[in-house]
Amino acid sequence: MINMIQAVIMGLLQGITELFPISSLGHSVILPKLFAWNLDQKAPEFLNFLIATHLATAVVLFFFFLRDWIEIAKGLGRSIRDRKVAPSDTYAKLGWLLVIGTIPAGIIGLVLEKPIRNLFGSPLVAAAFLMINGIVLFAAERLRTRESRRSARPVTATASDAEIATLSWKRALVIGTAQASALIPGVSRSGSSMVGGLLSGLNNENAARFSFLLATPIIGAAALLKLPELFAPSMADERGVFLVGALCAGVAAWFATKFLLRFFETKTLMPFAIYCVLGGAIYFVLMLFMG
């Protein structure tokens, strides 16, 4: 049973770490153990709490990028009506890239979510994968092309979307598949997709933007599929806690998105890489001593 204080802390944590490239699932596994909270992380109550916070994050992301989603819906409609994607139709291109990127993550999530979480869901393993996540972030920043480093920063959302729309469908497929690695606690969803975007030639700001757009349907669909579990009669006593956690996650997600889009205008993934490596190492040692 999660109490209100734990719900606030876990909700804020989820809203921040889902979008920061430092793994929300990994921190959700590590934190209760670190604080010595007596929580059964495989219990329906805990899993449904995470569903509520993820749904809140998806809703916030949708409304944060509402103008983009409206244009994307129009673009997809035009392409279906005309049975083609016009070369100059940025939002039709972007819409289909998001569709392509969503497919592999959705399929892998449906088929492998439970086996992967059961296999890798211990705090010790989550700490180890958090270090691996940091190493991947560091390597991506080191390996991305000089041309990407020198690319001009777009000053409008339209310019950002136009650059993202230059991705090939193969790149979108790879980035979408990379997002599925976030099923492993300690591996970041946003980090994985940002790495894919950076190595595809996007700058940090646009890689983050594409990551957030791609995460919205994936997180939202996964949460909606399990939404009936939140309204099961057995969950009646927990719904107040779920609501508090969801509200905290939503508020944190809004400010995290706003902060990160501004942050990546001039900064890179390096601070998050350093945190994941050092933090993961510290958590790993602590988990060993705590048993």
PDB file of all heavy atoms in Angstrom, residues 151-181:
ATOM      1  N   SER A 151      25.298  22.226 -36.789  1.00  0.00           N
ATOM      2  CA  SER A 151      24.038  22.603 -37.413  1.00  0.00           C
ATOM      3  C   SER A 151      23.403  23.789 -36.694  1.00  0.00           C
ATOM      4  O   SER A 151      23.469  23.919 -35.494  1.00  0.00           O
ATOM      5  CB  SER A 151      23.059  21.420 -37.393  1.00  0.00           C
ATOM      6  OG  SER A 151      22.765  21.050 -36.079  1.00  0.00           O
ATOM      7  N   ALA A 152      22.770  24.657 -37.465  1.00  0.00           N
ATOM      8  CA  ALA A 152      22.144  25.837 -36.890  1.00  0.00           C
ATOM      9  C   ALA A 152      20.941  25.445 -36.042  1.00  0.00           C
ATOM     10  O   ALA A 152      20.202  24.528 -36.374  1.00  0.00           O
ATOM     11  CB  ALA A 152      21.692  26.774 -38.020  1.00  0.00           C
ATOM     12  N   ARG A 153      20.747  26.183 -34.978  1.00  0.00           N
ATOM     13  CA  ARG A 153      19.626  25.909 -34.096  1.00  0.00           C
ATOM     14  C   ARG A 153      18.359  26.532 -34.673  1.00  0.00           C
ATOM     15  O   ARG A 153      18.322  27.723 -34.953  1.00  0.00           O
ATOM     16  CB  ARG A 153      19.879  26.500 -32.705  1.00  0.00           C
ATOM     17  CG  ARG A 153      21.114  25.955 -32.044  1.00  0.00           C
ATOM     18  CD  ARG A 153      20.917  24.545 -31.584  1.00  0.00           C
ATOM     19  NE  ARG A 153      22.128  24.017 -30.969  1.00  0.00           N
ATOM     20  CZ  ARG A 153      22.228  22.794 -30.506  1.00  0.00           C
ATOM     21  NH1 ARG A 153      21.228  21.967 -30.615  1.00  0.00           N
ATOM     22  NH2 ARG A 153      23.351  22.374 -29.951  1.00  0.00           N
ATOM     23  N   PRO A 154      17.305  25.759 -34.867  1.00  0.00           N
ATOM     24  CA  PRO A 154      16.073  26.353 -35.352  1.00  0.00           C
ATOM     25  C   PRO A 154      15.469  27.266 -34.290  1.00  0.00           C
ATOM     26  O   PRO A 154      15.627  27.036 -33.104  1.00  0.00           O
ATOM     27  CB  PRO A 154      15.172  25.136 -35.601  1.00  0.00           C
ATOM     28  CG  PRO A 154      15.729  24.063 -34.743  1.00  0.00           C
ATOM     29  CD  PRO A 154      17.202  24.319 -34.647  1.00  0.00           C
ATOM     30  N   VAL A 155      14.752  28.285 -34.737  1.00  0.00           N
ATOM     31  CA  VAL A 155      14.211  29.243 -33.779  1.00  0.00           C
ATOM     32  C   VAL A 155      12.704  29.107 -33.619  1.00  0.00           C
ATOM     33  O   VAL A 155      12.120  29.787 -32.787  1.00  0.00           O
ATOM     34  CB  VAL A 155      14.550  30.692 -34.218  1.00  0.00           C
ATOM     35  CG1 VAL A 155      16.046  30.912 -34.167  1.00  0.00           C
ATOM     36  CG2 VAL A 155      14.029  30.988 -35.620  1.00  0.00           C
ATOM     37  N   THR A 156      12.058  28.269 -34.402  1.00  0.00           N
ATOM     38  CA  THR A 156      10.616  28.081 -34.283  1.00  0.00           C
ATOM     39  C   THR A 156      10.294  26.603 -34.264  1.00  0.00           C
ATOM     40  O   THR A 156      11.073  25.764 -34.726  1.00  0.00           O
ATOM     41  CB  THR A 156       9.868  28.733 -35.459  1.00  0.00           C
ATOM     42  OG1 THR A 156      10.209  28.036 -36.671  1.00  0.00           O
ATOM     43  CG2 THR A 156      10.238  30.197 -35.600  1.00  0.00           C
ATOM     44  N   ALA A 157       9.083  26.286 -33.746  1.00  0.00           N
ATOM     45  CA  ALA A 157       8.635  24.899 -33.738  1.00  0.00           C
ATOM     46  C   ALA A 157       8.516  24.360 -35.145  1.00  0.00           C
ATOM     47  O   ALA A 157       8.839  23.202 -35.421  1.00  0.00           O
ATOM     48  CB  ALA A 157       7.291  24.798 -33.007  1.00  0.00           C
ATOM     49  N   THR A 158       8.065  25.200 -36.083  1.00  0.00           N
ATOM     50  CA  THR A 158       7.911  24.758 -37.468  1.00  0.00           C
ATOM     51  C   THR A 158       9.254  24.358 -38.058  1.00  0.00           C
ATOM     52  O   THR A 158       9.367  23.341 -38.754  1.00  0.00           O
ATOM     53  CB  THR A 158       7.284  25.882 -38.320  1.00  0.00           C
ATOM     54  OG1 THR A 158       6.008  26.226 -37.764  1.00  0.00           O
ATOM     55  CG2 THR A 158       7.105  25.427 -39.756  1.00  0.00           C
ATOM     56  N   ALA A 159      10.304  25.145 -37.779  1.00  0.00           N
ATOM     57  CA  ALA A 159      11.630  24.816 -38.278  1.00  0.00           C
ATOM     58  C   ALA A 159      12.129  23.517 -37.660  1.00  0.00           C
ATOM     59  O   ALA A 159      12.755  22.694 -38.342  1.00  0.00           O
ATOM     60  CB  ALA A 159      12.605  25.956 -37.976  1.00  0.00           C
ATOM     61  N   SER A 160      11.867  23.320 -36.373  1.00  0.00           N
ATOM     62  CA  SER A 160      12.253  22.072 -35.720  1.00  0.00           C
ATOM     63  C   SER A 160      11.560  20.885 -36.362  1.00  0.00           C
ATOM     64  O   SER A 160      12.183  19.870 -36.668  1.00  0.00           O
ATOM     65  CB  SER A 160      11.895  22.124 -34.228  1.00  0.00           C
ATOM     66  OG  SER A 160      12.674  23.076 -33.553  1.00  0.00           O
ATOM     67  N   ASP A 161      10.247  20.998 -36.565  1.00  0.00           N
ATOM     68  CA  ASP A 161       9.486  19.905 -37.160  1.00  0.00           C
ATOM     69  C   ASP A 161       9.956  19.615 -38.583  1.00  0.00           C
ATOM     70  O   ASP A 161       9.995  18.458 -39.010  1.00  0.00           O
ATOM     71  CB  ASP A 161       7.990  20.239 -37.158  1.00  0.00           C
ATOM     72  CG  ASP A 161       7.421  20.295 -35.752  1.00  0.00           C
ATOM     73  OD1 ASP A 161       8.004  19.661 -34.857  1.00  0.00           O
ATOM     74  OD2 ASP A 161       6.399  20.971 -35.540  1.00  0.00           O
ATOM     75  N   ALA A 162      10.331  20.657 -39.314  1.00  0.00           N
ATOM     76  CA  ALA A 162      10.814  20.463 -40.676  1.00  0.00           C
ATOM     77  C   ALA A 162      12.118  19.680 -40.689  1.00  0.00           C
ATOM     78  O   ALA A 162      12.331  18.820 -41.553  1.00  0.00           O
ATOM     79  CB  ALA A 162      11.003  21.823 -41.363  1.00  0.00           C
ATOM     80  N   GLU A 163      13.002  19.964 -39.714  1.00  0.00           N
ATOM     81  CA  GLU A 163      14.258  19.221 -39.656  1.00  0.00           C
ATOM     82  C   GLU A 163      14.012  17.769 -39.263  1.00  0.00           C
ATOM     83  O   GLU A 163      14.604  16.847 -39.825  1.00  0.00           O
ATOM     84  CB  GLU A 163      15.223  19.871 -38.670  1.00  0.00           C
ATOM     85  CG  GLU A 163      16.575  19.150 -38.623  1.00  0.00           C
ATOM     86  CD  GLU A 163      17.575  19.838 -37.721  1.00  0.00           C
ATOM     87  OE1 GLU A 163      17.423  21.027 -37.456  1.00  0.00           O
ATOM     88  OE2 GLU A 163      18.525  19.147 -37.278  1.00  0.00           O
ATOM     89  N   ILE A 164      13.125  17.565 -38.289  1.00  0.00           N
ATOM     90  CA  ILE A 164      12.811  16.198 -37.864  1.00  0.00           C
ATOM     91  C   ILE A 164      12.220  15.406 -39.025  1.00  0.00           C
ATOM     92  O   ILE A 164      12.501  14.215 -39.197  1.00  0.00           O
ATOM     93  CB  ILE A 164      11.833  16.218 -36.673  1.00  0.00           C
ATOM     94  CG1 ILE A 164      12.493  16.861 -35.454  1.00  0.00           C
ATOM     95  CG2 ILE A 164      11.372  14.804 -36.320  1.00  0.00           C
ATOM     96  CD1 ILE A 164      11.527  17.186 -34.334  1.00  0.00           C
ATOM     97  N   ALA A 165      11.408  16.066 -39.846  1.00  0.00           N
ATOM     98  CA  ALA A 165      10.729  15.398 -40.960  1.00  0.00           C
ATOM     99  C   ALA A 165      11.703  14.928 -42.040  1.00  0.00           C
ATOM    100  O   ALA A 165      11.311  14.171 -42.935  1.00  0.00           O
ATOM    101  CB  ALA A 165       9.675  16.312 -41.569  1.00  0.00           C
ATOM    102  N   THR A 166      12.969  15.358 -41.970  1.00  0.00           N
ATOM    103  CA  THR A 166      13.954  14.896 -42.953  1.00  0.00           C
ATOM    104  C   THR A 166      14.490  13.505 -42.617  1.00  0.00           C
ATOM    105  O   THR A 166      15.215  12.905 -43.416  1.00  0.00           O
ATOM    106  CB  THR A 166      15.143  15.872 -43.041  1.00  0.00           C
ATOM    107  OG1 THR A 166      15.816  15.929 -41.772  1.00  0.00           O
ATOM    108  CG2 THR A 166      14.673  17.267 -43.415  1.00  0.00           C
ATOM    109  N   LEU A 167      14.149  12.981 -41.438  1.00  0.00           N
ATOM    110  CA  LEU A 167      14.564  11.616 -41.088  1.00  0.00           C
ATOM    111  C   LEU A 167      13.985  10.620 -42.089  1.00  0.00           C
ATOM    112  O   LEU A 167      12.866  10.787 -42.575  1.00  0.00           O
ATOM    113  CB  LEU A 167      14.080  11.247 -39.686  1.00  0.00           C
ATOM    114  CG  LEU A 167      14.761  11.913 -38.482  1.00  0.00           C
ATOM    115  CD1 LEU A 167      14.019  11.541 -37.202  1.00  0.00           C
ATOM    116  CD2 LEU A 167      16.220  11.497 -38.374  1.00  0.00           C
ATOM    117  N   SER A 168      14.724   9.574 -42.352  1.00  0.00           N
ATOM    118  CA  SER A 168      14.197   8.507 -43.201  1.00  0.00           C
ATOM    119  C   SER A 168      13.300   7.592 -42.383  1.00  0.00           C
ATOM    120  O   SER A 168      13.381   7.568 -41.147  1.00  0.00           O
ATOM    121  CB  SER A 168      15.344   7.694 -43.803  1.00  0.00           C
ATOM    122  OG  SER A 168      16.009   6.955 -42.782  1.00  0.00           O
ATOM    123  N   TRP A 169      12.453   6.825 -43.058  1.00  0.00           N
ATOM    124  CA  TRP A 169      11.566   5.907 -42.333  1.00  0.00           C
ATOM    125  C   TRP A 169      12.380   4.823 -41.628  1.00  0.00           C
ATOM    126  O   TRP A 169      11.995   4.337 -40.562  1.00  0.00           O
ATOM    127  CB  TRP A 169      10.528   5.302 -43.265  1.00  0.00           C
ATOM    128  CG  TRP A 169      11.073   4.346 -44.303  1.00  0.00           C
ATOM    129  CD1 TRP A 169      11.451   4.652 -45.573  1.00  0.00           C
ATOM    130  CD2 TRP A 169      11.291   2.943 -44.139  1.00  0.00           C
ATOM    131  NE1 TRP A 169      11.900   3.524 -46.222  1.00  0.00           N
ATOM    132  CE2 TRP A 169      11.806   2.455 -45.372  1.00  0.00           C
ATOM    133  CE3 TRP A 169      11.096   2.048 -43.101  1.00  0.00           C
ATOM    134  CZ2 TRP A 169      12.140   1.121 -45.563  1.00  0.00           C
ATOM    135  CZ3 TRP A 169      11.425   0.715 -43.294  1.00  0.00           C
ATOM    136  CH2 TRP A 169      11.931   0.265 -44.512  1.00  0.00           C
ATOM    137  N   LYS A 170      13.532   4.471 -42.193  1.00  0.00           N
ATOM    138  CA  LYS A 170      14.396   3.481 -41.547  1.00  0.00           C
ATOM    139  C   LYS A 170      14.938   4.007 -40.225  1.00  0.00           C
ATOM    140  O   LYS A 170      15.022   3.279 -39.227  1.00  0.00           O
ATOM    141  CB  LYS A 170      15.550   3.088 -42.477  1.00  0.00           C
ATOM    142  CG  LYS A 170      15.117   2.303 -43.703  1.00  0.00           C
ATOM    143  CD  LYS A 170      16.312   1.921 -44.566  1.00  0.00           C
ATOM    144  CE  LYS A 170      15.868   1.125 -45.787  1.00  0.00           C
ATOM    145  NZ  LYS A 170      17.019   0.783 -46.662  1.00  0.00           N
ATOM    146  N   ARG A 171      15.324   5.295 -40.221  1.00  0.00           N
ATOM    147  CA  ARG A 171      15.818   5.905 -38.981  1.00  0.00           C
ATOM    148  C   ARG A 171      14.703   5.941 -37.934  1.00  0.00           C
ATOM    149  O   ARG A 171      14.935   5.687 -36.750  1.00  0.00           O
ATOM    150  CB  ARG A 171      16.314   7.323 -39.260  1.00  0.00           C
ATOM    151  CG  ARG A 171      17.561   7.387 -40.125  1.00  0.00           C
ATOM    152  CD  ARG A 171      18.774   6.926 -39.359  1.00  0.00           C
ATOM    153  NE  ARG A 171      20.005   7.165 -40.103  1.00  0.00           N
ATOM    154  CZ  ARG A 171      21.206   6.835 -39.681  1.00  0.00           C
ATOM    155  NH1 ARG A 171      21.348   6.250 -38.505  1.00  0.00           N
ATOM    156  NH2 ARG A 171      22.273   7.073 -40.413  1.00  0.00           N
ATOM    157  N   ALA A 172      13.499   6.304 -38.356  1.00  0.00           N
ATOM    158  CA  ALA A 172      12.365   6.338 -37.428  1.00  0.00           C
ATOM    159  C   ALA A 172      12.095   4.958 -36.843  1.00  0.00           C
ATOM    160  O   ALA A 172      11.779   4.819 -35.655  1.00  0.00           O
ATOM    161  CB  ALA A 172      11.121   6.855 -38.142  1.00  0.00           C
ATOM    162  N   LEU A 173      12.252   3.942 -37.668  1.00  0.00           N
ATOM    163  CA  LEU A 173      12.036   2.560 -37.212  1.00  0.00           C
ATOM    164  C   LEU A 173      13.083   2.181 -36.169  1.00  0.00           C
ATOM    165  O   LEU A 173      12.766   1.561 -35.148  1.00  0.00           O
ATOM    166  CB  LEU A 173      12.115   1.605 -38.405  1.00  0.00           C
ATOM    167  CG  LEU A 173      11.587   0.175 -38.208  1.00  0.00           C
ATOM    168  CD1 LEU A 173      10.096   0.193 -37.931  1.00  0.00           C
ATOM    169  CD2 LEU A 173      11.885  -0.660 -39.435  1.00  0.00           C
ATOM    170  N   VAL A 174      14.332   2.562 -36.411  1.00  0.00           N
ATOM    171  CA  VAL A 174      15.412   2.269 -35.465  1.00  0.00           C
ATOM    172  C   VAL A 174      15.178   3.005 -34.145  1.00  0.00           C
ATOM    173  O   VAL A 174      15.327   2.434 -33.061  1.00  0.00           O
ATOM    174  CB  VAL A 174      16.775   2.657 -36.069  1.00  0.00           C
ATOM    175  CG1 VAL A 174      17.867   2.604 -35.008  1.00  0.00           C
ATOM    176  CG2 VAL A 174      17.121   1.729 -37.230  1.00  0.00           C
ATOM    177  N   ILE A 175      14.799   4.286 -34.224  1.00  0.00           N
ATOM    178  CA  ILE A 175      14.567   5.068 -33.016  1.00  0.00           C
ATOM    179  C   ILE A 175      13.397   4.487 -32.228  1.00  0.00           C
ATOM    180  O   ILE A 175      13.452   4.381 -30.996  1.00  0.00           O
ATOM    181  CB  ILE A 175      14.306   6.544 -33.377  1.00  0.00           C
ATOM    182  CG1 ILE A 175      15.569   7.164 -33.987  1.00  0.00           C
ATOM    183  CG2 ILE A 175      13.867   7.340 -32.148  1.00  0.00           C
ATOM    184  CD1 ILE A 175      15.357   8.545 -34.585  1.00  0.00           C
ATOM    185  N   GLY A 176      12.332   4.101 -32.922  1.00  0.00           N
ATOM    186  CA  GLY A 176      11.188   3.492 -32.253  1.00  0.00           C
ATOM    187  C   GLY A 176      11.547   2.185 -31.577  1.00  0.00           C
ATOM    188  O   GLY A 176      11.095   1.895 -30.462  1.00  0.00           O
ATOM    189  N   THR A 177      12.375   1.388 -32.253  1.00  0.00           N
ATOM    190  CA  THR A 177      12.816   0.118 -31.667  1.00  0.00           C
ATOM    191  C   THR A 177      13.686   0.367 -30.442  1.00  0.00           C
ATOM    192  O   THR A 177      13.580  -0.338 -29.428  1.00  0.00           O
ATOM    193  CB  THR A 177      13.597  -0.713 -32.699  1.00  0.00           C
ATOM    194  OG1 THR A 177      12.774  -0.923 -33.857  1.00  0.00           O
ATOM    195  CG2 THR A 177      14.000  -2.064 -32.131  1.00  0.00           C
ATOM    196  N   ALA A 178      14.536   1.395 -30.524  1.00  0.00           N
ATOM    197  CA  ALA A 178      15.400   1.727 -29.384  1.00  0.00           C
ATOM    198  C   ALA A 178      14.573   2.099 -28.158  1.00  0.00           C
ATOM    199  O   ALA A 178      14.946   1.790 -27.028  1.00  0.00           O
ATOM    200  CB  ALA A 178      16.338   2.871 -29.759  1.00  0.00           C
ATOM    201  N   GLN A 179      13.424   2.754 -28.374  1.00  0.00           N
ATOM    202  CA  GLN A 179      12.579   3.127 -27.240  1.00  0.00           C
ATOM    203  C   GLN A 179      12.115   1.912 -26.454  1.00  0.00           C
ATOM    204  O   GLN A 179      11.891   2.000 -25.251  1.00  0.00           O
ATOM    205  CB  GLN A 179      11.347   3.902 -27.720  1.00  0.00           C
ATOM    206  CG  GLN A 179      11.577   5.365 -27.883  1.00  0.00           C
ATOM    207  CD  GLN A 179      10.346   6.189 -27.541  1.00  0.00           C
ATOM    208  OE1 GLN A 179       9.352   5.681 -27.042  1.00  0.00           O
ATOM    209  NE2 GLN A 179      10.407   7.472 -27.809  1.00  0.00           N
ATOM    210  N   ALA A 180      11.969   0.781 -27.144  1.00  0.00           N
ATOM    211  CA  ALA A 180      11.492  -0.423 -26.464  1.00  0.00           C
ATOM    212  C   ALA A 180      12.487  -0.924 -25.425  1.00  0.00           C
ATOM    213  O   ALA A 180      12.114  -1.673 -24.519  1.00  0.00           O
ATOM    214  CB  ALA A 180      11.210  -1.519 -27.480  1.00  0.00           C
ATOM    215  N   SER A 181      13.753  -0.505 -25.543  1.00  0.00           N
ATOM    216  CA  SER A 181      14.747  -0.922 -24.550  1.00  0.00           C
ATOM    217  C   SER A 181      14.442  -0.366 -23.171  1.00  0.00           C
ATOM    218  O   SER A 181      14.961  -0.846 -22.163  1.00  0.00           O
ATOM    219  CB  SER A 181      16.151  -0.491 -24.982  1.00  0.00           C
ATOM    220  OG  SER A 181      16.258   0.918 -25.039  1.00  0.00           O
TER     221      SER A 181
END
